[in-house]
């Protein structure tokens, strides 16, 4: 309970109560430093849980399709580009730069889903999704993170969040197909060996339709 002087509003006094089994206040006493610290922590936690995260640094980027700031979840797309790729030794593929297709990314603070797109245009609900043509990705699009140490701070901005997930994906080592799922039409190892050697744009005709659509991902 907080008391304040009517004569000097800068003077105040806080009285602390325990509660009995019936919820009645008992054992009134001045608030101690320890009790004040507990109160501060509980109020800070309650405030943090209600505050949105993933605040954009400015206007929301045009490649962001969906943002749930409270639950730290976002969907965005990236255009076809070149990326540095890493492979484990057993794949017998060289590390290096290769062209990758346009992609759709779906991430929370602890999980990542990726899909391929046929064009660089901003996706709509009718846009068809394709299996991401990479190792370490399940049929449903979820990425096997393995030993990747995902550390995304609670205060991360939207831009930091999307950059971090793209970095975690492409800076980890691709190692194997997941659950026997081949994400392309053809041999995945041969595809990437050819792309690494030739430097050619990604061949869109090898992509396979996904069983997932954007409407499902927005639920």
């Amino acid at each position: 309970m907080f008391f304040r002087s009517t004569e000097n509003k800068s003077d105040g006094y806080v009285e602390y109560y325990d509660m009995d089994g019936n919820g009645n206040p008992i054992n009134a006493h001045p608030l101690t430093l320890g009790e004040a610290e507990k109160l501060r922590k509980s109020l800070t936690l309650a405030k943090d849980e209600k505050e949105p995260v993933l605040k954009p640094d400015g206007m929301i980027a045009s490649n962001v399709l969906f943002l749930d700031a409270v639950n730290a979840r976002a969907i965005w797309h990236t255009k076809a580009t070149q990326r540095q790729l890493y492979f484990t030794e057993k794949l017998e593929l060289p590390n290096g730069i290769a062209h990758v297709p346009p992609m759709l990314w779906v991430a929370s603070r602890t999980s990542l889903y990726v899909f391929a797109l046929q064009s660089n245009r901003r996706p709509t609900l009718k846009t068809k999704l394709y299996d991401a043509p990479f190792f370490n990705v399940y049929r449903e699009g979820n990425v096997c993170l393995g030993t990747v140490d995902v550390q995304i701070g609670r205060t991360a901005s939207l831009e930091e969040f999307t950059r971090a997930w793209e970095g975690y994906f492409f800076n980890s080592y691709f190692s194997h197909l997941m659950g026997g799922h081949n994400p392309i039409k053809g041999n995945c190892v041969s595809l990437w060996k050819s792309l690494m050697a030739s430097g050619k744009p990604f061949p869109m005709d090898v992509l396979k339709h996904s069983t997932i659509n954007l409407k499902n991902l927005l639920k």
Side-chain angles (χ1 to χ4, degrees):
M1 185 174 291
F2 179 75
F3 299 91
R4 188 171 64 181
S5 170
T6 57
E7 296 178 357
N8 187 349
K9 293 187 178 180
S10 64
D11 289 340
Y13 169 74
V14 180
E15 199 166 67
Y16 186 89
Y17 292 81
D18 294 319
M19 293 291 181
D20 66 15
N22 297 317
N24 298 312
I26 59 173
N27 189 27
H29 59 277
L31 184 71
T32 67
L33 286 175
E35 290 163 343
E37 178 62 14
K38 287 181 181 178
L39 178 61
R40 183 193 68 79
K41 287 182 177 179
S42 66
L43 291 175
T44 300
L45 262 170
K47 178 174 177 286
D48 287 346
E49 287 175 358
K50 292 178 181 178
E51 279 189 348
V53 293
L54 303 188
K55 293 180 181 178
D57 290 332
M59 293 183 64
I60 295 179
S62 59
N63 70 318
V64 176
L65 306 176
F66 173 83
L67 174 62
D68 180 350
V70 173
N71 294 307
R73 184 170 179 267
I75 301 177
W76 70 100
H77 73 103
T78 51
K79 296 180 179 182
T81 188
Q82 289 180 296
R83 291 279 194 172
Q84 172 72 43
L85 304 178
Y86 300 93
F87 303 94
T88 56
E89 290 184 4
K90 67 178 182 180
L91 288 177
E92 298 182 351
L93 288 169
N95 299 329
I97 296 175
H99 286 269
V100 299
M103 294 177 62
L104 183 85
W105 306 72
V106 183
S108 67
R109 197 176 293 281
T110 57
S111 65
L112 175 67
Y113 288 70
V114 292
F115 302 89
L117 300 166
Q118 274 284 353
S119 80
N120 288 328
R121 291 191 297 272
R122 180 182 172 88
T124 69
L125 289 178
K126 295 182 179 180
T127 299
K128 292 181 179 179
L129 304 183
Y130 296 80
D131 293 339
F134 303 99
F135 302 92
N136 302 13
V137 182
Y138 288 95
R139 185 184 304 274
E140 293 77 18
N142 46 318
V143 177
C144 174
L145 297 171
T147 59
V148 177
D149 184 18
V150 177
Q151 294 188 13
I152 298 176
R154 286 192 58 83
T155 59
S157 68
L158 176 59
E159 292 79 6
E160 290 170 332
F161 181 82
T162 57
R163 281 197 303 268
W165 271 121
E166 291 177 29
Y168 285 131
F169 183 71
F170 283 117
N171 293 327
S172 61
Y173 279 80
F174 292 112
S175 57
H176 58 288
L177 298 176
M178 304 304 300
H181 170 57
N182 181 10
I184 67 162
K185 301 171 185 175
N187 185 289
C188 203
V189 172
S190 298
L191 170 68
W192 287 109
K193 182 178 291 186
S194 171
L195 289 173
M196 299 295 282
S198 68
K200 292 181 178 179
F202 188 91
M204 308 303 288
D205 58 339
V206 304
L207 294 177
K208 294 168 66 173
H209 286 288
S210 172
T211 58
I212 310 296
N213 59 52
L214 189 52
K215 187 178 292 187
N216 298 143
L217 299 172
L218 291 172
K219 292 179 179 178

